[in-house]
CSV table of all heavy atoms in Angstrom, one decimal:
chain,number,residue,atom,x,y,z
A,468,TYR,N,-17.0,41.8,47.9
A,468,TYR,CA,-16.3,42.1,46.6
A,468,TYR,C,-16.5,43.5,46.2
A,468,TYR,O,-15.6,44.2,45.7
A,468,TYR,CB,-16.8,41.1,45.6
A,468,TYR,CG,-16.2,41.2,44.2
A,468,TYR,CD1,-14.9,40.7,44.0
A,468,TYR,CD2,-16.9,41.8,43.2
A,468,TYR,CE1,-14.4,40.8,42.7
A,468,TYR,CE2,-16.4,41.9,41.9
A,468,TYR,CZ,-15.1,41.4,41.7
A,468,TYR,OH,-14.5,41.4,40.4
A,469,LEU,N,-17.7,44.0,46.4
A,469,LEU,CA,-18.1,45.4,46.0
A,469,LEU,C,-17.4,46.4,46.9
A,469,LEU,O,-17.0,47.4,46.5
A,469,LEU,CB,-19.6,45.5,46.0
A,469,LEU,CG,-20.4,44.6,45.0
A,469,LEU,CD1,-21.9,44.8,45.2
A,469,LEU,CD2,-19.9,44.8,43.5
A,470,THR,N,-17.4,46.1,48.2
A,470,THR,CA,-16.8,47.0,49.2
A,470,THR,C,-15.3,47.1,48.9
A,470,THR,O,-14.8,48.2,48.8
A,470,THR,CB,-17.0,46.4,50.6
A,470,THR,OG1,-18.4,46.3,50.8
A,470,THR,CG2,-16.3,47.3,51.6
A,471,GLN,N,-14.7,46.0,48.6
A,471,GLN,CA,-13.3,45.9,48.3
A,471,GLN,C,-12.9,46.8,47.1
A,471,GLN,O,-11.9,47.4,47.0
A,471,GLN,CB,-12.9,44.5,48.1
A,471,GLN,CG,-11.4,44.2,47.9
A,471,GLN,CD,-11.2,42.8,47.5
A,471,GLN,OE1,-11.9,41.9,47.8
A,471,GLN,NE2,-10.2,42.6,46.7
A,472,ASN,N,-13.8,46.8,46.1
A,472,ASN,CA,-13.5,47.5,44.8
A,472,ASN,C,-14.2,48.8,44.6
A,472,ASN,O,-14.3,49.3,43.5
A,472,ASN,CB,-13.8,46.5,43.6
A,472,ASN,CG,-12.9,45.3,43.6
A,472,ASN,OD1,-11.7,45.4,43.7
A,472,ASN,ND2,-13.5,44.1,43.6
A,473,TYR,N,-14.8,49.3,45.7
A,473,TYR,CA,-15.7,50.4,45.6
A,473,TYR,C,-15.1,51.6,45.0
A,473,TYR,O,-15.7,52.3,44.2
A,473,TYR,CB,-16.3,50.7,47.0
A,473,TYR,CG,-17.5,51.7,47.0
A,473,TYR,CD1,-18.7,51.2,46.7
A,473,TYR,CD2,-17.3,53.0,47.2
A,473,TYR,CE1,-19.8,52.0,46.6
A,473,TYR,CE2,-18.4,53.9,47.2
A,473,TYR,CZ,-19.7,53.4,46.9
A,473,TYR,OH,-20.8,54.2,46.8
A,474,LYS,N,-13.9,51.9,45.4
A,474,LYS,CA,-13.2,53.1,44.9
A,474,LYS,C,-13.1,53.1,43.4
A,474,LYS,O,-13.4,54.2,42.7
A,474,LYS,CB,-11.8,53.2,45.6
A,474,LYS,CG,-11.3,54.6,45.8
A,474,LYS,CD,-10.1,54.7,46.7
A,474,LYS,CE,-9.2,55.8,46.2
A,474,LYS,NZ,-8.2,55.3,45.3
A,475,LEU,N,-12.6,52.0,42.8
A,475,LEU,CA,-12.5,52.0,41.4
A,475,LEU,C,-13.9,52.0,40.7
A,475,LEU,O,-14.0,52.7,39.7
A,475,LEU,CB,-11.8,50.7,41.0
A,475,LEU,CG,-10.3,50.7,41.1
A,475,LEU,CD1,-9.7,49.3,40.8
A,475,LEU,CD2,-9.7,51.7,40.1
A,476,LEU,N,-14.9,51.4,41.3
A,476,LEU,CA,-16.2,51.4,40.7
A,476,LEU,C,-16.8,52.8,40.7
A,476,LEU,O,-17.4,53.2,39.7
A,476,LEU,CB,-17.1,50.4,41.5
A,476,LEU,CG,-16.8,48.9,41.3
A,476,LEU,CD1,-17.4,48.1,42.4
A,476,LEU,CD2,-17.2,48.4,40.0
A,477,GLU,N,-16.5,53.5,41.8
A,477,GLU,CA,-16.9,54.9,41.9
A,477,GLU,C,-16.2,55.8,40.8
A,477,GLU,O,-16.9,56.6,40.1
A,477,GLU,CB,-16.5,55.4,43.3
A,477,GLU,CG,-17.5,56.4,43.8
A,477,GLU,CD,-17.1,56.7,45.3
A,477,GLU,OE1,-15.9,56.5,45.7
A,477,GLU,OE2,-17.9,57.2,46.0
A,478,GLN,N,-14.9,55.5,40.6
A,478,GLN,CA,-14.2,56.3,39.6
A,478,GLN,C,-14.7,56.1,38.2
A,478,GLN,O,-14.9,57.0,37.4
A,478,GLN,CB,-12.7,55.8,39.7
A,478,GLN,CG,-11.8,56.4,38.7
A,478,GLN,CD,-10.4,55.8,38.7
A,478,GLN,OE1,-9.9,55.4,39.8
A,478,GLN,NE2,-9.8,55.6,37.6
A,479,TRP,N,-15.0,54.8,37.9
A,479,TRP,CA,-15.5,54.5,36.6
A,479,TRP,C,-16.9,55.0,36.4
A,479,TRP,O,-17.3,55.5,35.3
A,479,TRP,CB,-15.5,53.0,36.3
A,479,TRP,CG,-14.1,52.4,36.4
A,479,TRP,CD1,-12.9,53.0,36.0
A,479,TRP,CD2,-13.7,51.1,36.8
A,479,TRP,NE1,-11.8,52.2,36.2
A,479,TRP,CE2,-12.3,51.0,36.7
A,479,TRP,CE3,-14.4,50.0,37.3
A,479,TRP,CZ2,-11.6,49.9,37.0
A,479,TRP,CZ3,-13.7,48.8,37.7
A,479,TRP,CH2,-12.3,48.8,37.5
A,480,THR,N,-17.7,55.1,37.5
A,480,THR,CA,-19.0,55.6,37.4
A,480,THR,C,-19.0,57.1,37.1
A,480,THR,O,-19.8,57.7,36.4
A,480,THR,CB,-19.9,55.3,38.6
A,480,THR,OG1,-19.8,53.9,38.8
A,480,THR,CG2,-21.3,55.7,38.4
A,481,SER,N,-18.0,57.8,37.7
A,481,SER,CA,-17.9,59.2,37.4
A,481,SER,C,-17.7,59.5,35.9
A,481,SER,O,-18.2,60.4,35.3
A,481,SER,CB,-16.6,59.8,38.1
A,481,SER,OG,-16.7,59.7,39.4
A,482,TYR,N,-16.9,58.5,35.3
A,482,TYR,CA,-16.7,58.6,33.9
A,482,TYR,C,-18.1,58.5,33.1
A,482,TYR,O,-18.4,59.2,32.2
A,482,TYR,CB,-15.7,57.6,33.4
A,482,TYR,CG,-15.3,57.9,32.0
A,482,TYR,CD1,-14.2,58.7,31.7
A,482,TYR,CD2,-16.0,57.4,30.9
A,482,TYR,CE1,-13.8,59.1,30.4
A,482,TYR,CE2,-15.6,57.8,29.6
A,482,TYR,CZ,-14.5,58.6,29.4
A,482,TYR,OH,-14.2,58.9,28.1
A,483,LEU,N,-18.8,57.5,33.6
A,483,LEU,CA,-20.2,57.3,33.0
A,483,LEU,C,-21.1,58.5,33.2
A,483,LEU,O,-21.8,58.9,32.2
A,483,LEU,CB,-20.8,56.1,33.6
A,483,LEU,CG,-20.1,54.7,33.4
A,483,LEU,CD1,-20.9,53.6,34.2
A,483,LEU,CD2,-19.9,54.4,32.0
A,484,VAL,N,-21.0,59.1,34.3
A,484,VAL,CA,-21.9,60.3,34.6
A,484,VAL,C,-21.5,61.4,33.6
A,484,VAL,O,-22.4,62.1,33.1
A,484,VAL,CB,-21.7,60.7,36.1
A,484,VAL,CG1,-22.4,62.1,36.3
A,484,VAL,CG2,-22.4,59.7,37.0
A,485,ASN,N,-20.2,61.5,33.3
A,485,ASN,CA,-19.8,62.6,32.4
A,485,ASN,C,-20.0,62.3,31.0
A,485,ASN,O,-20.3,63.2,30.2
A,485,ASN,CB,-18.2,62.8,32.6
A,485,ASN,CG,-17.9,63.5,33.9
A,485,ASN,OD1,-18.7,64.3,34.4
A,485,ASN,ND2,-16.7,63.2,34.4
A,486,ASP,N,-20.0,61.0,30.6
A,486,ASP,CA,-20.0,60.7,29.2
A,486,ASP,C,-21.2,60.0,28.6
A,486,ASP,O,-21.5,59.9,27.4
A,486,ASP,CB,-18.8,59.8,28.8
A,486,ASP,CG,-18.4,59.8,27.4
A,486,ASP,OD1,-18.4,60.9,26.8
A,486,ASP,OD2,-18.2,58.7,26.8
A,487,ALA,N,-22.0,59.4,29.5
A,487,ALA,CA,-23.1,58.5,29.0
A,487,ALA,C,-24.3,59.2,28.4
A,487,ALA,O,-24.9,58.6,27.4
A,487,ALA,CB,-23.6,57.6,30.2
A,488,LEU,N,-24.6,60.4,28.8
A,488,LEU,CA,-25.7,61.1,28.2
A,488,LEU,C,-25.4,61.5,26.7
A,488,LEU,O,-26.3,61.2,25.8
A,488,LEU,CB,-26.1,62.3,29.0
A,488,LEU,CG,-27.4,63.0,28.5
A,488,LEU,CD1,-28.6,62.0,28.4
A,488,LEU,CD2,-27.8,64.1,29.5
A,489,TYR,N,-24.3,62.1,26.5
A,489,TYR,CA,-23.9,62.5,25.2
A,489,TYR,C,-22.5,61.9,24.9
A,489,TYR,O,-21.5,62.5,25.0
A,489,TYR,CB,-23.8,64.0,25.0
A,489,TYR,CG,-25.2,64.6,25.2
A,489,TYR,CD1,-25.4,65.5,26.3
A,489,TYR,CD2,-26.2,64.5,24.3
A,489,TYR,CE1,-26.6,66.1,26.5
A,489,TYR,CE2,-27.5,65.1,24.5
A,489,TYR,CZ,-27.7,65.9,25.6
A,489,TYR,OH,-28.9,66.4,25.8
A,490,PRO,N,-22.5,60.6,24.6
A,490,PRO,CA,-21.2,59.9,24.4
A,490,PRO,C,-20.3,60.6,23.3
A,490,PRO,O,-20.8,60.9,22.2
A,490,PRO,CB,-21.5,58.5,24.0
A,490,PRO,CG,-22.9,58.3,24.4
A,490,PRO,CD,-23.6,59.6,24.3
A,491,ALA,N,-19.1,60.9,23.7
A,491,ALA,CA,-18.1,61.5,22.8
A,491,ALA,C,-17.9,60.5,21.6
A,491,ALA,O,-18.3,59.3,21.6
A,491,ALA,CB,-16.8,61.7,23.5
A,492,ASN,N,-17.3,61.1,20.5
A,492,ASN,CA,-17.0,60.3,19.4
A,492,ASN,C,-16.0,59.2,19.8
A,492,ASN,O,-14.8,59.5,20.2
A,492,ASN,CB,-16.3,61.2,18.3
A,492,ASN,CG,-16.1,60.5,17.0
A,492,ASN,OD1,-16.9,59.6,16.6
A,492,ASN,ND2,-15.0,60.8,16.3
A,493,GLN,N,-16.4,57.9,19.7
A,493,GLN,CA,-15.5,56.8,20.2
A,493,GLN,C,-16.0,55.5,19.6
A,493,GLN,O,-17.1,55.4,19.1
A,493,GLN,CB,-15.5,56.8,21.7
A,493,GLN,CG,-16.9,56.4,22.3
A,493,GLN,CD,-17.0,56.7,23.8
A,493,GLN,OE1,-16.4,55.9,24.6
A,493,GLN,NE2,-17.7,57.7,24.2
A,494,ILE,N,-15.1,54.5,19.8
A,494,ILE,CA,-15.6,53.2,19.3
A,494,ILE,C,-16.3,52.4,20.5
A,494,ILE,O,-16.0,52.7,21.7
A,494,ILE,CB,-14.4,52.3,18.8
A,494,ILE,CG1,-13.2,52.2,19.9
A,494,ILE,CG2,-13.9,52.8,17.5
A,494,ILE,CD1,-12.1,51.3,19.5
A,495,SER,N,-17.1,51.5,20.1
A,495,SER,CA,-17.7,50.6,21.1
A,495,SER,C,-16.9,49.2,20.9
A,495,SER,O,-16.0,49.1,20.1
A,495,SER,CB,-19.2,50.4,20.8
A,495,SER,OG,-19.4,49.5,19.7
A,496,THR,N,-17.4,48.2,21.6
A,496,THR,CA,-16.8,46.9,21.4
A,496,THR,C,-16.8,46.5,19.9
A,496,THR,O,-16.0,45.7,19.4
A,496,THR,CB,-17.5,45.8,22.2
A,496,THR,OG1,-16.9,44.6,22.0
A,496,THR,CG2,-19.0,45.7,21.9
A,497,ASP,N,-17.8,46.9,19.1
A,497,ASP,CA,-17.9,46.6,17.7
A,497,ASP,C,-17.0,47.5,16.9
A,497,ASP,O,-17.4,48.3,16.1
A,497,ASP,CB,-19.4,46.7,17.3
A,497,ASP,CG,-20.3,45.9,18.1
A,497,ASP,OD1,-19.9,44.7,18.4
A,497,ASP,OD2,-21.3,46.4,18.6
A,498,ASP,N,-15.7,47.4,17.3
A,498,ASP,CA,-14.7,48.4,16.8
A,498,ASP,C,-14.5,48.3,15.2
A,498,ASP,O,-14.1,49.3,14.6
A,498,ASP,CB,-13.4,48.3,17.5
A,498,ASP,CG,-12.8,46.9,17.5
A,498,ASP,OD1,-13.5,46.0,16.9
A,498,ASP,OD2,-11.7,46.6,18.1
A,499,PHE,N,-14.9,47.2,14.6
A,499,PHE,CA,-14.7,47.0,13.2
A,499,PHE,C,-15.7,48.0,12.5
A,499,PHE,O,-15.5,48.3,11.3
A,499,PHE,CB,-15.1,45.6,12.8
A,499,PHE,CG,-16.3,45.1,13.4
A,499,PHE,CD1,-17.6,45.4,12.9
A,499,PHE,CD2,-16.3,44.3,14.6
A,499,PHE,CE1,-18.7,44.9,13.5
A,499,PHE,CE2,-17.4,43.9,15.2
A,499,PHE,CZ,-18.7,44.2,14.6
A,500,ALA,N,-16.7,48.5,13.2
A,500,ALA,CA,-17.6,49.5,12.5
A,500,ALA,C,-17.2,50.9,12.6
A,500,ALA,O,-17.8,51.8,12.0
A,500,ALA,CB,-19.0,49.3,13.2
A,501,GLY,N,-16.1,51.2,13.4
A,501,GLY,CA,-15.5,52.5,13.5
A,501,GLY,C,-16.2,53.3,14.6
A,501,GLY,O,-17.1,52.9,15.3
A,502,ALA,N,-15.6,54.5,14.7
A,502,ALA,CA,-16.1,55.4,15.8
A,502,ALA,C,-17.3,56.2,15.4
A,502,ALA,O,-17.6,56.4,14.2
A,502,ALA,CB,-14.9,56.4,16.2
A,503,LEU,N,-18.1,56.6,16.4
A,503,LEU,CA,-19.3,57.3,16.1
A,503,LEU,C,-19.6,58.1,17.5
A,503,LEU,O,-19.4,57.5,18.5
A,503,LEU,CB,-20.4,56.4,15.7
A,503,LEU,CG,-21.7,56.9,15.1
A,503,LEU,CD1,-21.3,57.6,13.8
A,503,LEU,CD2,-22.7,55.8,14.8
A,504,ALA,N,-20.1,59.3,17.3
A,504,ALA,CA,-20.6,60.0,18.6
A,504,ALA,C,-22.0,59.7,18.9
A,504,ALA,O,-22.8,59.2,18.0
A,504,ALA,CB,-20.4,61.5,18.3
A,505,ASN,N,-22.4,59.8,20.1
A,505,ASN,CA,-23.8,59.7,20.5
A,505,ASN,C,-24.4,58.3,20.2
A,505,ASN,O,-25.6,58.3,19.7
A,505,ASN,CB,-24.7,60.8,19.9
A,505,ASN,CG,-24.5,62.2,20.6
A,505,ASN,OD1,-24.2,62.2,21.8
A,505,ASN,ND2,-24.6,63.2,19.8
A,506,GLN,N,-23.7,57.3,20.3
A,506,GLN,CA,-24.2,56.0,20.0
A,506,GLN,C,-25.3,55.6,21.0
A,506,GLN,O,-25.0,55.5,22.2
A,506,GLN,CB,-23.1,54.9,20.0
A,506,GLN,CG,-22.1,55.1,18.9
A,506,GLN,CD,-21.1,53.9,18.8
A,506,GLN,OE1,-21.5,52.8,18.6
A,506,GLN,NE2,-19.8,54.2,18.9
A,507,THR,N,-26.4,55.3,20.5
A,507,THR,CA,-27.6,55.0,21.3
A,507,THR,C,-27.4,53.8,22.3
A,507,THR,O,-27.7,53.9,23.5
A,507,THR,CB,-28.8,54.6,20.4
A,507,THR,OG1,-29.1,55.8,19.6
A,507,THR,CG2,-30.0,54.2,21.2
Side-chain angles (χ1 to χ4, degrees):
Y468 180 75
L469 300 175
T470 302
Q471 187 191 325
N472 295 307
Y473 194 79
K474 210 167 143 271
L475 279 170
L476 291 162
E477 213 174 23
Q478 174 189 324
W479 297 329
T480 305
S481 300
Y482 193 89
L483 298 178
V484 169
N485 287 331
D486 198 50
L488 183 56
Y489 299 111
N492 186 36
Q493 63 193 289
I494 52 173
S495 76
T496 181
D497 306 312
D498 52 359
F499 48 82
L503 197 60
N505 283 331
Q506 294 188 58
T507 296

